[in-house]
């Protein structure tokens, strides 16, 4: 196990949480927009980021303090909550782990669940995965993932925007989950569905999380084996108050026996 910093209780983000909450408070029915409009909007309202993350070899279009909507009134935002515009700490650790250990997904079929900006899907493709699917229920995230793949000279993965949690499991060799344990109800439904994926297909599951309370206190936490822990770059710490490290775990349901 790679240990790069001491494990400490971690709080949720300050700046990022405030930003997303603002969008939630002004959420309303959004009109469908063309992909061309979405691409132009993403291009105009994000910044290309690479070196200031755990994965400097991956370029991503993200929100930064230099972007208009970091400080703009959220009612002017034309889409749903922009989770795809943030490279969450758990996703950073998960992507870094894959890049450090390319054999984990090389030649495998991979599902990036709750894919957001698509960073873990991109890492899987860079490591030689045979087939990659990025799943996020926000269609804007799918467009962002395509754009981010283009930034990295990669063919985009298959992007699914339906909610696959609870559906009949597909035959994936590996499922990736970064920062998906932020809500207790979601964590519980994930727990049940992941058990089915493992039981039916023998799927391997990797989870990235910075140690949020919902993750640390959930029952699934007792069924995980830690694989790595990474110290977050200074810029990520500044944007995520209280978070200093982020880890990667392997889900091992047999540990309950």
């Amino acid at each position: 196990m790679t240990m790069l910093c001491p494990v400490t209780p971690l709080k949720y983000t300050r700046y990022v949480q405030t930003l997303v909450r603002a969008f939630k408070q002004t959420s309303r029915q959004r009109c469908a927009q063309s992909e061309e409009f979405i691409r132009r909007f993403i291009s105009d309202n994000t910044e290309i980021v690479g070196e200031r993350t755990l994965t400097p070899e991956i370029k991503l279009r993200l929100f930064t303090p230099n972007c208009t909507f970091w400080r703009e009134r959220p009612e002017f935002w034309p889409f749903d909550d922009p989770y795809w515009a943030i490279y969450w700490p758990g996703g950073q650790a998960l992507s870094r782990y894959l890049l450090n250990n390319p054999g984990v997904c090389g030649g495998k079929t991979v599902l990036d669940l709750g894919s957001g900006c698509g960073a873990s899907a991109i890492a899987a493709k860079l490591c030689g995965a045979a087939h990659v699917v990025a799943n996020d229920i926000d269609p804007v995230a799918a467009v962002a993932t395509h754009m981010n793949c283009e930034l990295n000279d990669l063919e985009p993965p298959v992007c699914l925007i339906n909610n696959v949690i609870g559906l009949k499991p597909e035959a994936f060799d590996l499922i990736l989950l970064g920062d998906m344990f932020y809500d207790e109800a979601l964590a519980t439904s994930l727990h049940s569905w992941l058990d089915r994926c493992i039981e039916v297909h023998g799927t391997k599951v990797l989870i990235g999380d910075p140690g949020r309370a919902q993750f640390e206190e959930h029952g699934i936490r007792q069924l995980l084996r830690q694989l790595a822990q990474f110290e977050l770059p200074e810029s990520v710490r500044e944007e995520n108050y209280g978070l200093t490290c982020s880890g990667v775990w392997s889900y091992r349901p047999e540990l309950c026996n």
Side-chain angles (χ1 to χ4, degrees):
M1 180 176 70
T2 305
M3 292 296 295
L4 299 184
C5 71
V7 180
T8 58
L10 300 175
K11 298 179 181 179
Y12 201 177
T13 66
R14 177 177 62 183
Y15 303 122
V16 170
Q17 185 184 32
T18 300
L19 177 68
V20 173
R21 187 189 300 119
F23 285 109
K24 278 183 172 294
Q25 290 173 344
T26 59
S27 62
R28 59 183 182 275
Q29 189 68 34
R30 309 295 191 183
C31 297
Q33 303 285 3
S34 69
E35 181 173 340
E36 180 182 1
F37 173 85
I38 295 172
R39 278 178 167 267
R40 185 170 61 251
F41 191 91
I42 291 174
S43 181
D44 291 343
N45 292 281
T46 58
E47 184 176 32
I48 297 175
V49 176
E51 296 181 357
R52 302 190 300 272
T53 72
L54 278 176
T55 57
E57 56 268 76
I58 296 179
K59 298 177 183 177
L60 300 167
R61 291 189 174 275
L62 303 172
F63 273 173
T64 74
N66 298 325
C67 298
T68 300
F69 276 95
W70 192 268
R71 54 191 179 278
E72 182 59 272
R73 292 169 57 187
E75 58 264 32
F76 295 135
W77 181 256
F79 308 115
D80 289 328
D81 306 330
Y83 294 106
W84 54 266
I86 298 163
Y87 195 8
W88 301 92
Q92 292 198 33
L94 189 56
S95 299
R96 181 71 268 160
Y97 179 78
L98 294 179
L99 293 169
N100 287 357
N101 302 275
V104 170
C105 54
K108 304 290 199 312
T109 56
V110 179
L111 171 64
D112 182 7
L113 186 66
S115 51
C117 66
S120 293
I122 289 171
K125 291 182 73 69
L126 289 172
C127 292
H131 181 65
V132 180
V133 174
N135 174 231
D136 197 296
I137 59 173
D138 184 354
V140 180
V143 178
T145 295
H146 275 241
M147 294 177 70
N148 288 331
C149 283
E150 292 164 5
L151 278 178
N152 293 278
D153 299 318
L154 293 171
E155 287 294 320
V158 174
C159 289
L160 301 179
I161 58 173
N162 60 310
N163 185 1
V164 303
I165 300 171
L167 299 182
K168 180 180 178 181
E170 298 283 343
F172 289 101
D173 297 316
L174 177 65
I175 295 178
L176 307 172
L177 301 96
D179 299 277
M180 287 291 286
F181 289 84
Y182 55 85
D183 176 84
E184 184 176 355
L186 175 60
T188 299
S189 62
L190 272 172
H191 190 177
S192 175
W193 184 72
L194 291 173
D195 281 346
R196 291 180 58 203
C197 293
I198 293 171
E199 180 181 356
V200 175
H201 299 296
T203 303
K204 182 176 181 179
V205 178
L206 295 181
I207 296 170
D209 196 275
R212 297 190 179 93
Q214 297 91 331
F215 175 71
E216 293 292 340
E217 296 170 5
H218 196 275
I220 197 173
R221 181 65 180 82
Q222 306 305 313
L223 307 177
L224 304 179
R225 180 169 67 90
Q226 190 171 27
L227 301 176
Q229 184 89 354
F230 299 100
E231 184 175 351
L232 295 170
E234 185 63 32
S235 60
V236 179
R237 294 187 186 197
E238 291 174 357
E239 295 172 5
N240 296 271
Y241 177 76
L243 300 181
T244 58
C245 300
S246 191
V248 177
W249 285 264
S250 173
Y251 179 39
R252 301 284 299 276
E254 70 273 14
L255 294 178
C256 67
N257 298 327

